[in-house]
Amino acid sequence: MSSPAPSRTPSKRTTRSQTNTPSRDEASEKGTPAKRRATPQKSPATTPLRVGARGRNARPGAMGTIAESSELGTPAGGSQENNAMTSPLAIGAEHMGLSEIDLSSPLNYGTPSSLGSLRTPRTGIQDTPVRVRADIGSERTLRRIVLPSDAPAPGDESSQTGSQTGVKEVIWGTDVDVGKCKQRFRRFIENFVDPDMEPDEANMATTNVNEPLYMQKLKEVLALEDPYVNVNCEHLKTFCPELFAQLVRYPQEVLPFLDMAINELFFEKHPAAVLEHQIQVRPFNSEVTTSMRNLNPEDIDQLITLCGMVIRTSDIIPEMREAFFKCIVCGSTTEVVVEKGRIAEPTLCGNCNTNHCFTLVHNRSQFCDKQLVKLQESPDDMPAAQTPQTVLLYCCNDLVDKVQPGDRVTVTGIYRAIPSVLNPRMRNVRSVYRTHIDVVHFRKSSTKRLYENEEGNNLHFSEERIGQLKELSEKDDIYERMAHALAPNIYENEDIKKGILLQLFGGTKKIFNSQGRSNFRAEIHILLCGDPGTSKSQLLQYVYHLVPRAQFTSGKGSSAVGLSAYVTRDPETRQLVLQTGALVLADNGICCIDEFDKMNDSTRSMLHEVMEQQTLSITKAGIICQLNARTSVLAAANPVESQWSKNKTIIDNINLPHTLLSRFDLIFLLLDPQDELYDRRLAKHLVGMYQSTPEDDEQDYINMLLMRDYIAYAREFIKPKITEEASNRLVEMYVTMRQTGMSRGQISAYPRQLESLVRLAEAHAKMRFSQTVELIDAEEAWRLHREALKQSATDPLSGRIDVSILTTGISSAGRKHREKLMKELKKMIENQSKGTTLNFKKCLNDMREKADLMVTNEMLEDALSSLQNEGVVNLISRSSFRIC
Amino acid sequence: MKNAALECVQSWNADFVENNLKDCLEKLSDYETWQKVSLYSATHSHHYKEGQLVRIQGMIQDMHNPEYYVSKYTVCNKATGTKTVRSGKYKDVMRVEPGESARCAKDGKDARERQNLFCIPIPALNKWALDIHKQNVALPEIHAEFGQSQGVKRKEMDEDHNDEEMVCEDSFKEVKKTEVRIENVAPTSSASENQSPQNLDDIKNFSFPVKNVEGQPFYLKVYEYDQSTVMNSMVEVVGFLSADPAISYVEDDMEESGKKLPASLIPRLHVVCLKNVEHCNPLLPSFNFSSDAALAFANAQAAVCDLKIIFTPLLLGDKLAVDFLICNLLSKVFVRKDVTQLGHLSLNLHEVPKMTGYVEKFYSILEQLVTKSHYFPLTIEVLNSTPFVPKKDYTCDKLRSGLLQLSQGTFLVFDETKMTVGQLLDLGTKNVMALKSFLERQEVEYDFQFYATPFQTDLSIIIFSERKSLFECDARVPLESDPEAVKALEASFEAAVLYLRNDEVTTRIRRFLTAAQLANYEIPEIVQTRVQEDFVEMRQRDKNFTGDDLHIVLNLARLLTLSTGAQALTAEIWKQACAMEGARRARL
């Protein structure tokens, strides 16, 4: 229809006074486009416009007129005067061959239907049709202002011609320099290298980390003929913060220029490429990742990124993009671009000068697909005691049907607010804006989980928060602090809390796919068992509330089906659908199972696979599949007889198959200590809770929220590797474990125990925010492992720690050494009066001096615990015991 | 001059409040001014004018998305060409007179956010409390006084703020023009029956946790929203009424259709001042609550004595059961920390006499004493048909209420004697699970279809059953009946009814129960040590006595202390609590 000259925007002005219109507010004072349209005659802008037009008038008849009509509200077909107008740039363009290409693009955006006539064989870019970007609402002709600049800006040293003509273009109402903006983006595409690329961005196996990322993406575009380039705003921000800021602030205006730049670049490189339509840039991961609740009127028209869950999608709606009008008098036709959902119906026919003679021709108008999607806050973002909020999304063209209800997605788009239609016939108009988001980019987080290893890339913390977390991690006693803060209302049980804490962090994920071995699991499983009323359930409840993706079930009420997955027929579609159960739902989270002992055998047997392979196989009703269930299991069980019997082995007490027991990394006993001092302290603790104003030592109290962030951060960003030193120590420990067993002619430790140790050490390193597993981590893992074993694998006959109880269910008796030690101990105790409290360390030193035995810490502990069974001493804590 | 206008609360209008917000709020913090704002009454809805300042009390049942309103817009008079800027605050619509055209910023620069809350009359509010509320409804004397005061005000405003003159005049006109009869409009829209609620009865069935509640639900438009008003909070609100049927919601989007109900059915209230209240006992107004409560609290002995007189014969002369009942009446969750909640005492009274309608009769006595209560017969049919848990209905974008969505401090009496043999269906099973987990954790998981969100809920529960209840309660007390009392049961009920005819008695009890629930409590150092000693001793006597049991005794001690009108635990009461729990355990 018209030449690619950029000059058709009538509002283009050449004015010196306009050189800086930086803020939006300022611009709006001078008259936003909306305002100007209503009062075109009175606008002061008309004067410079005419001056500019007259002064440079050179290419008559080269103009399209539709854009003008939509701009100024004048009849389509327009006045002759408008036709005669040309901007200075167009002249400049004629002198410089290249610039025609650059400048053509924005027009294409304005009137996509005019493409046909535009095609010239010279470059690929013009062979490729432009597709209207419905997503950013760019159907509006871009308004740019041409500003003469005194000298080329210093930054523009590249070969771009636009800015060297002595004028510079800025987008209407902003201070965004078009040429600069395009150049910057071009440089970004050509040069940006991302060393630590996120896995889902590298969708081609060939992606080379050391080469410019987006150049490779352009190659992908060429190969796949999929003309979309997703641009991570985070990259753009590190490369060029200014361009990033402009993009976020004026997405609707800036995006078309980015498209232009990338198309130029693409067709320069691959002139012969054939694409369905021109490449479109899709930014995502914009900085303003807010929760829905934080959206406010200031975000209107900005590029925002939101996370949420899709709850509804509408049918596909054909939306008119371009209306086709025909004059009923003379038959001349005109096309009007739909602007913000409205069509400015042309009133005056430019051909025959008749008023109100146009009719709309539906089947020649252009439509695009549109879908309304409702996005709801995900439960993690919701403040307590409030209902989730929703936001409406409009997605267009190929984004239609990209998401399904139930998907968790991260959406990047432009936030819009549209006032209610002002109907002159209605006296009252609702004074409410309707808001929605024009989607530019979807990023699913849920589907990815099914095949990718990492999840939750949408994790974002503010700098401030990260600083806070890091500061916290540097505290010496962070381990104790965290353990203390875990379920602070549950009294003592420090080691159990520490175990659960490490479980929350989990080990490092390791993949050995290439070696034919499936993943080593990183999840730590813990079994708590013990007397009723020892707040096992409360611990479980606490963990359930702390971890975002946690499931809570009771062994009593759950079936194998409920835990794993089941197949049902969807009532609407009559299709078989797979409904996932608690274990699958807790993928990458924790599954808390209360009353583990009351679970029936078939249910429990299903846990074998889940707990070691971390997968779940389903074979039923024509569905055969393997689901990921990378969940940590935190189980609680009661002893067979409601009270723990000290004369029975753990297996007799819990009555669980040892195949299953050996899969738990840590098995803790929560036994009622039946100790006066303990009772007293417990009572004090409980009484304290009944004060109307419970004293809160806020200083060193880590609240649930901070804890959650801390864990999330560590899980996401800390991937500790084992150091040489630590690995030696771990090996040493394992060998010791094996040897103690071997000496008695029995294998007491299996590789599983070594794996447990590694996991625990890694988790401890994670907890310290350390990228390496060091000696202290290994030591703590060893200590905790022993601590747990000491309680759970104590042979009631010998009192000796014996892993074989767990692994084989049989205990071996080799107690010579210990009997000697016990004799010595008894001797020493006889010398002391009843009720004396002895220090453990001191006792250890004494023993070492007295007995000509090698007495280790552990041995003494073992001896003491068996003495406790005999009722001679009473262990108060790890560091002291009392003589009865 | 402004002060005079401030004094006359009834004549405040939106623009006046917007311009003098600080003064107005200060004025409203005064009890008398607050009381002067007329309390809205559904039965007299035609007395209220569009844009009038009214006061309501209610519970937040649902929270909708916030909306952006046009904070200011320009109106251009086509004839004269004069432009005026008008404010959109406290309004639903832009006011455009014939011959004028309005304009607001297209790009949303003038958009401001306001919160959208759905407020229903407090559910399960008992009749006596409602009656008092009704007495408090002073219908606005609009005919003479309103017009006059408006005139006076206009004069004053003329002098003070000339620029406001037009606004005042206009609003005055508008008030006169759009007199709305809310009730009359309702039936017309109920003609079309859809799945989403269309008339007031539907709405009540849908959004009210308890059926047969009279009163008017409202949409609250909250301009200064701080996060403190959450789901199920009880609120007192002063705001501008907007029930103009002209605000029809003819929107073409899928979002809007069927979601918003016409203003004539559910009036909008543009909130000037919103207060969260802890209780809704009309005998203890929230202003200077502390002194009133202290007074009521001082009457503890008399009130508890009355309670004992009333309930001992009704509970067949079982003194222990009466003690537990009184404790239950005073219980309230007062500490929530992570996963621990303290203060609740759900009660299961079983071995109830086999007298038809015993529980109903008992409840009819109870409901005269407590502010909010609800009787629920646990039968298979009702369990299978009444949802307990609120569920989000996405087709109309509303939260469908359930029985357990009651406001804090409501008494829920379950009658398990009605239970028969039968099969629980899907809903019934869910209900049973929900009630069970509620009794355990004082938390209800609202169903948002894609996920469930826990909401903290604080209800006092009493379950009457023939044998041990299906549901595990904090305290289970088998009634030990005195044969004499059983014989005289009929007469006892009559006597109780007669006894409660005495206004002095009922008022005393009602005030006391509310005051005691909200009272503070502490354990002096010396008693703490005593408790520790006792616990150690108890442990040695009985190995099965765990920390959880200590919780029960500590809670009983707290409630017993409050029932004596004291706020600090003493050794005697501690002993009494231990004895009480001991006696109860002995019965099991």
Side-chain angles (χ1 to χ4, degrees), chain B residues 71-113:
Chain B
S71 65
K72 48 179 185 285
Y73 55 97
T74 319
V75 178
C76 180
N77 191 320
K78 280 177 196 149
T80 62
T82 45
K83 284 185 193 166
T84 1
V85 176
R86 285 181 194 160
S87 161
K89 202 176 178 184
Y90 305 123
K91 308 262 173 61
D92 265 316
V93 291
M94 291 194 235
R95 198 159 38 78
V96 187
E97 304 292 332
E100 287 180 343
S101 68
R103 167 184 312 287
C104 59
K106 285 267 180 301
D107 52 358
K109 274 200 192 62
D110 292 333
R112 297 287 176 275
E113 197 172 11

Coordinates of all heavy atoms in Angstrom, one line a residue, chain B residues 71-113:
Chain B
S71 N -9.3 7.6 40.4 CA -9.3 8.4 41.6 C -9.7 9.9 41.2 O -10.3 10.5 42.0 CB -7.9 8.5 42.2 OG -7.0 9.1 41.3
K72 N -9.5 10.3 40.0 CA -10.1 11.6 39.6 C -10.3 11.6 38.1 O -9.6 10.9 37.4 CB -9.2 12.8 40.0 CG -7.8 12.7 39.7 CD -7.1 14.0 40.2 CE -5.7 14.1 39.8 NZ -4.8 13.3 40.7
Y73 N -11.3 12.3 37.8 CA -11.7 12.4 36.3 C -12.2 13.8 36.0 O -12.6 14.5 36.9 CB -12.7 11.3 36.0 CG -14.0 11.4 36.8 CD1 -15.1 12.0 36.4 CD2 -14.0 10.7 38.1 CE1 -16.3 12.0 37.1 CE2 -15.2 10.8 38.8 CZ -16.3 11.4 38.4 OH -17.4 11.5 39.1
T74 N -12.1 14.1 34.8 CA -12.4 15.5 34.4 C -13.8 15.4 33.7 O -14.1 14.5 32.9 CB -11.4 16.0 33.4 OG1 -10.1 15.6 33.8 CG2 -11.5 17.5 33.3
V75 N -14.6 16.3 34.1 CA -16.0 16.4 33.5 C -16.0 17.7 32.8 O -15.7 18.7 33.2 CB -17.1 16.3 34.6 CG1 -18.4 16.4 33.9 CG2 -16.9 15.0 35.4
C76 N -16.5 17.6 31.5 CA -16.5 18.7 30.7 C -18.0 19.0 30.4 O -18.7 18.1 29.9 CB -15.7 18.5 29.4 SG -15.8 19.9 28.3
N77 N -18.4 20.2 30.7 CA -19.8 20.5 30.4 C -19.8 21.0 28.9 O -19.2 21.9 28.5 CB -20.3 21.7 31.3 CG -21.8 21.9 31.2 OD1 -22.3 21.8 30.1 ND2 -22.4 22.1 32.3
K78 N -20.6 20.3 28.1 CA -20.6 20.5 26.7 C -21.1 21.9 26.3 O -20.7 22.6 25.4 CB -21.4 19.5 25.9 CG -20.6 18.2 25.8 CD -21.4 17.1 25.1 CE -20.8 15.8 25.3 NZ -21.8 14.7 25.3
A79 N -22.1 22.4 27.1 CA -22.7 23.6 26.8 C -21.7 24.8 27.1 O -21.5 25.7 26.3 CB -24.0 23.8 27.6
T80 N -21.2 24.8 28.3 CA -20.4 25.9 28.8 C -18.9 25.7 28.5 O -18.2 26.7 28.5 CB -20.6 26.2 30.3 OG1 -20.2 25.0 31.0 CG2 -22.1 26.5 30.6
G81 N -18.5 24.5 28.3 CA -17.1 24.2 28.1 C -16.3 24.2 29.4 O -15.1 24.1 29.3
T82 N -17.0 24.4 30.5 CA -16.2 24.4 31.8 C -15.8 23.0 32.1 O -16.5 22.0 31.9 CB -17.0 25.0 32.9 OG1 -18.3 24.4 32.9 CG2 -17.1 26.5 32.9
K83 N -14.6 22.9 32.7 CA -14.1 21.6 33.1 C -14.0 21.5 34.6 O -13.6 22.4 35.2 CB -12.7 21.3 32.5 CG -12.8 21.0 31.0 CD -11.4 20.7 30.6 CE -11.3 20.6 29.0 NZ -10.0 20.6 28.5
T84 N -14.4 20.4 35.1 CA -14.3 20.2 36.6 C -13.6 18.9 36.8 O -13.8 17.9 36.1 CB -15.7 20.1 37.3 OG1 -16.7 20.2 36.3 CG2 -15.8 21.1 38.4
V85 N -12.8 18.8 37.8 CA -12.2 17.6 38.2 C -13.0 17.0 39.4 O -13.2 17.7 40.4 CB -10.7 17.8 38.6 CG1 -10.1 16.4 39.1 CG2 -9.9 18.3 37.4
R86 N -13.4 15.8 39.2 CA -14.2 15.2 40.3 C -13.4 14.0 40.8 O -12.6 13.3 40.1 CB -15.5 14.7 39.8 CG -16.5 15.9 39.7 CD -17.8 15.5 39.2 NE -18.6 16.6 38.7 CZ -19.6 16.6 38.0 NH1 -20.0 15.4 37.5 NH2 -20.2 17.7 37.6
S87 N -13.7 13.6 42.0 CA -13.0 12.5 42.7 C -13.8 11.3 42.5 O -15.0 11.3 42.6 CB -12.7 12.8 44.1 OG -12.5 11.6 44.8
G88 N -13.1 10.1 42.4 CA -13.9 8.9 42.3 C -13.8 8.1 43.5 O -14.3 7.0 43.6
K89 N -13.2 8.7 44.6 CA -13.1 7.9 45.8 C -14.5 7.8 46.5 O -15.3 8.7 46.4 CB -12.1 8.6 46.8 CG -11.6 7.7 47.8 CD -10.5 8.4 48.7 CE -10.0 7.5 49.7 NZ -9.1 8.2 50.6
Y90 N -14.7 6.7 47.1 CA -16.0 6.4 47.8 C -17.2 6.4 46.8 O -18.3 6.6 47.2 CB -16.3 7.4 48.9 CG -15.2 7.5 49.9 CD1 -14.6 8.8 50.2 CD2 -14.8 6.4 50.6 CE1 -13.6 8.9 51.2 CE2 -13.8 6.5 51.6 CZ -13.2 7.7 51.8 OH -12.2 7.8 52.8
K91 N -16.9 6.2 45.5 CA -18.0 6.1 44.6 C -17.8 4.9 43.7 O -16.7 4.4 43.5 CB -17.9 7.3 43.6 CG -17.8 8.7 44.3 CD -19.2 9.3 44.3 CE -19.1 10.6 45.1 NZ -18.2 11.6 44.6
D92 N -19.0 4.4 43.2 CA -18.9 3.3 42.3 C -18.9 3.8 40.8 O -18.4 3.1 40.0 CB -20.2 2.4 42.5 CG -19.8 1.3 43.4 OD1 -18.8 0.7 43.2 OD2 -20.6 1.0 44.3
V93 N -19.5 4.9 40.7 CA -19.7 5.3 39.3 C -19.1 6.7 39.1 O -19.0 7.5 40.1 CB -21.2 5.4 38.9 CG1 -21.7 4.0 38.8 CG2 -22.0 6.2 39.9
M94 N -18.8 7.1 37.9 CA -18.4 8.5 37.6 C -19.7 9.2 37.5 O -20.7 8.8 36.8 CB -17.6 8.5 36.3 CG -16.3 7.9 36.5 SD -15.3 8.4 35.1 CE -14.8 6.8 34.5
R95 N -19.8 10.3 38.1 CA -21.0 11.1 38.0 C -21.0 12.0 36.8 O -20.1 12.9 36.7 CB -21.2 11.9 39.3 CG -22.5 12.4 39.6 CD -22.7 12.7 41.0 NE -21.5 13.3 41.6 CZ -21.2 14.5 41.4 NH1 -21.9 15.3 40.7 NH2 -20.1 15.0 42.0
V96 N -21.9 11.8 35.9 CA -21.9 12.6 34.7 C -23.4 13.1 34.5 O -24.3 12.3 34.4 CB -21.5 11.8 33.5 CG1 -21.4 12.8 32.3 CG2 -20.2 11.2 33.7
E97 N -23.6 14.4 34.6 CA -24.9 14.9 34.4 C -25.2 14.9 32.9 O -24.3 14.9 32.1 CB -25.0 16.3 35.0 CG -24.6 16.4 36.4 CD -25.6 15.7 37.4 OE1 -26.8 15.6 37.0 OE2 -25.2 15.2 38.4
P98 N -26.5 15.0 32.6 CA -26.8 15.2 31.1 C -26.1 16.4 30.6 O -26.0 17.4 31.3 CB -28.3 15.3 31.1 CG -28.8 14.7 32.4 CD -27.6 14.9 33.4
G99 N -25.6 16.3 29.4 CA -24.9 17.4 28.8 C -23.4 17.6 29.3 O -22.8 18.6 29.0
E100 N -23.0 16.5 29.9 CA -21.6 16.6 30.3 C -20.9 15.3 29.8 O -21.5 14.3 29.5 CB -21.5 16.5 31.8 CG -21.9 17.8 32.5 CD -21.7 17.7 34.0 OE1 -21.6 16.6 34.5 OE2 -21.7 18.8 34.7
S101 N -19.6 15.5 29.6 CA -18.8 14.3 29.2 C -17.6 14.1 30.2 O -17.1 15.1 30.7 CB -18.3 14.4 27.8 OG -17.4 15.4 27.7
A102 N -17.4 12.9 30.5 CA -16.3 12.6 31.5 C -15.1 12.0 30.8 O -15.2 11.4 29.7 CB -16.8 11.7 32.6
R103 N -14.0 12.1 31.4 CA -12.8 11.7 30.8 C -11.8 11.2 31.9 O -11.7 11.9 32.9 CB -12.2 12.8 30.0 CG -10.8 12.6 29.5 CD -10.3 13.8 28.8 NE -11.3 14.3 27.8 CZ -11.5 13.6 26.7 NH1 -10.8 12.6 26.4 NH2 -12.4 14.1 25.9
C104 N -11.2 10.1 31.8 CA -10.2 9.7 32.7 C -9.0 9.2 32.0 O -9.1 8.9 30.8 CB -10.7 8.6 33.7 SG -11.2 7.1 32.9
A105 N -7.9 9.3 32.7 CA -6.6 8.9 32.0 C -6.7 7.5 31.4 O -7.0 6.6 32.1 CB -5.5 9.1 33.0
K106 N -6.3 7.4 30.1 CA -6.4 6.1 29.5 C -5.4 5.1 30.0 O -5.6 3.9 30.0 CB -6.2 6.3 28.0 CG -7.3 6.9 27.2 CD -8.2 5.8 26.7 CE -9.4 6.4 25.9 NZ -10.2 7.3 26.8
D107 N -4.2 5.7 30.4 CA -3.2 4.8 30.7 C -3.1 4.4 32.2 O -2.2 3.8 32.7 CB -1.8 5.4 30.3 CG -1.7 6.8 30.9 OD1 -2.6 7.2 31.5 OD2 -0.6 7.4 30.7
G108 N -4.2 4.7 32.9 CA -4.3 4.3 34.2 C -3.4 5.0 35.2 O -3.1 4.5 36.3
K109 N -3.1 6.3 34.9 CA -2.3 7.0 35.8 C -3.1 7.4 37.1 O -2.5 7.6 38.1 CB -1.8 8.3 35.2 CG -0.5 8.0 34.4 CD 0.2 9.3 34.2 CE 1.3 9.1 33.2 NZ 0.8 8.6 31.8
D110 N -4.4 7.6 36.9 CA -5.2 8.0 38.0 C -5.8 6.8 38.7 O -6.6 6.9 39.6 CB -6.3 8.9 37.5 CG -5.8 10.2 37.0 OD1 -4.7 10.6 37.5 OD2 -6.4 10.8 36.1
A111 N -5.3 5.6 38.4 CA -5.8 4.4 39.1 C -5.3 4.3 40.5 O -4.1 4.6 40.7 CB -5.4 3.2 38.3
R112 N -6.2 4.1 41.4 CA -5.8 3.8 42.8 C -6.4 2.4 43.1 O -7.4 2.0 42.6 CB -6.2 4.9 43.7 CG -5.7 6.2 43.5 CD -4.2 6.3 43.9 NE -3.6 7.6 43.6 CZ -3.1 7.9 42.4 NH1 -3.1 7.0 41.4 NH2 -2.6 9.1 42.2
E113 N -5.8 1.8 44.1 CA -6.2 0.5 44.4 C -7.2 0.5 45.6 O -7.1 1.3 46.5 CB -5.0 -0.4 44.8 CG -5.3 -1.8 44.8 CD -4.0 -2.6 45.1 OE1 -3.0 -2.0 45.4 OE2 -4.0 -3.8 44.9

